[in-house]
Amino acid sequence: QIDWKMLADRAWAARKNAYAPYSKFFVGAALATESGEIFTGCNVENASYGLTICAERSAIFAMVAGGANRPRAIAIYTPTSKPTAPCGACRQVLREFGRDLMVLSFCEGGGELTTSLASLLPEAFGPENLG
Ligand code: THU
């Protein structure tokens, strides 16, 4: 019952807020929580390049800052010809909150990739492994 069209529309809109003067690679993400709230994110680059944060992590941080912590689905838009899956760092940050997260990647070229975080990050280390 995820409204993927709506979530993809929100990710598409969020890409416009991306701060990507260095890569010019404008990424948008939108996540839906278990309770149906929507949070969006975009990549935020830095003159000290390595401090850049991806759209996916930005969306997770917006969710936590907004008082929620149970993401159910995330849609990610990249300006590419083929859909791209989240980077390794983002997979681990998504995993902290979204063990059963559903992931939709879509792109300028029109293709889509539907997958799950469990597929993207098998045998993951997570909060349940501590203490
Ligand atoms: N980026 C994202 O925001 N998400 C991804 O899934 C891949 C990479 C950003 C980071 C950087 O601002 C730019 O895209 C190029 O790597």
Side-chain angles (χ1 to χ4, degrees):
Q1 330 71 313
I2 294 293
D3 185 346
W4 287 108
K5 169 78 171 84
M6 176 277 298
L7 209 55
D9 283 349
R10 294 292 300 270
W12 161 255
R15 97 205 181 286
K16 289 190 222 111
N17 296 332
Y19 175 74
Y22 309 109
S23 72
K24 311 249 193 302
F25 194 75
F26 296 80
V27 185
L31 67 81
T33 66
E34 293 286 354
S35 66
E37 285 182 282
I38 309 296
F39 295 94
T40 61
C42 59
N43 51 328
V44 182
E45 299 187 344
N46 193 275
S48 179
Y49 300 160
L51 302 184
T52 292
I53 288 290
C54 298
E56 296 89 329
R57 270 176 288 165
S58 161
I60 283 281
F61 298 157
M63 174 193 74
V64 174
N69 62 14
R70 292 189 307 141
R72 179 145 184 265
I74 186 167
I76 303 145
Y77 172 84
T78 51
T80 50
S81 57
K82 293 192 171 130
T84 64
C87 83
C90 287
R91 292 178 197 200
Q92 185 66 42
V93 171
L94 291 166
R95 175 60 176 70
E96 185 74 14
F97 302 97
R99 200 176 178 160
D100 300 315
L101 191 68
M102 295 180 277
V103 178
L104 169 73
S105 294
F106 69 108
C107 64
E108 193 172 355
E112 290 185 3
L113 170 70
T114 306
T115 185
S116 64
L117 192 67
S119 301
L120 293 172
L121 195 68
E123 306 295 345
F125 179 78
E128 71 279 8
N129 296 122
L130 291 174

